[in-house]
Amino acid sequence: MVANLVSDIARSSVLAIVGWIENRLVAVQRDQHSQLVKANKKLRKYTLTNEKLAQTQERNRLARELHDTLAHTLSSVSVQLEAIKAHFDRDPKKAKKLLADTIKNTKDGLTETRRTIVDLRSSELESFGLIQAIRNTGKSAAERGGFKIDFHLDKD
């Protein structure tokens, strides 16, 4: 009988200790889950901030590029047209030469503006993949720079 009582007390003590340990483990797990939720919220906030920063930087880059192409082209055309107007009656040959130069500058500016607008639409990397994006970028640079480029790229 005493042995049964001691056995019951020992069993009860072991169950109480196991219950307490289980309770502590559940509490620790809840705490860790709460910390994980907080960390995920911070990570989402950081990611959104980082995306907004990247978008702002890209918009600024494109705005500078549009300014450098479109605004400079229009300013140049305006000045050249004023020069043509000044030479129109006095020196028609000079005016004709200036007009040809102005037309060329206008077409070059239009080409650069179109290229910039295409850059606004989508990322070539996303649309075409790495190899085609490299080819397109190289071809575009070759056209602008007036040089020839050959590609030897494979999928690996």
Side-chain angles (χ1 to χ4, degrees):
M1 177 113 161
V2 172
N4 284 343
L5 185 62
V6 170
S7 174
D8 287 345
I9 292 173
R11 205 175 306 145
S12 295
S13 297
V14 168
L15 286 176
I17 291 170
V18 169
W20 180 81
I21 291 171
E22 186 179 354
N23 186 36
R24 291 301 312 143
L25 289 173
V26 168
V28 167
Q29 187 179 19
R30 281 187 194 135
D31 186 46
Q32 287 175 340
H33 178 65
S34 174
Q35 289 175 3
L36 184 60
V37 167
K38 287 178 185 176
N40 280 336
K41 284 181 183 178
K42 284 182 180 179
L43 184 58
R44 275 191 218 108
K45 185 177 179 181
Y46 172 76
T47 301
L48 288 173
T49 301
N50 203 21
E51 284 177 12
K52 287 180 183 179
L53 178 61
Q55 287 175 346
T56 300
Q57 288 172 336
E58 182 65 7
R59 285 184 182 137
N60 287 339
R61 182 190 71 79
L62 290 170
R64 279 191 308 274
E65 200 166 326
L66 279 172
H67 176 267
D68 290 348
T69 57
L70 188 58
H72 288 174
T73 299
L74 291 175
S75 296
S76 173
V77 167
S78 176
V79 169
Q80 288 172 328
L81 288 174
E82 289 293 332
I84 292 168
K85 182 179 168 186
H87 286 90
F88 192 74
D89 290 329
R90 287 183 301 158
D91 191 353
K93 281 186 177 183
K94 176 82 172 174
K96 203 173 203 179
K97 166 83 170 89
L98 287 171
L99 184 58
D101 291 344
T102 302
I103 290 170
K104 183 190 177 314
N105 288 341
T106 303
K107 287 180 180 179
D108 291 345
L110 183 58
T111 300
E112 283 298 310
T113 302
R114 284 183 177 145
R115 184 190 56 76
T116 301
I117 290 171
V118 166
D119 287 348
L120 280 170
R121 289 193 182 134
S122 69
S123 165
E124 287 197 41
L125 185 58
E126 292 172 3
S127 300
F128 302 116
L130 180 60
I131 292 173
Q132 191 59 44
I134 291 170
R135 281 192 174 112
N136 291 349
T137 301
K139 286 178 183 177
S140 176
E143 287 172 5
R144 286 191 318 268
F147 58 89
K148 186 177 183 292
I149 189 165
D150 290 320
F151 293 98
H152 304 284
L153 303 169
D154 61 24
K155 293 188 181 199
D156 292 332

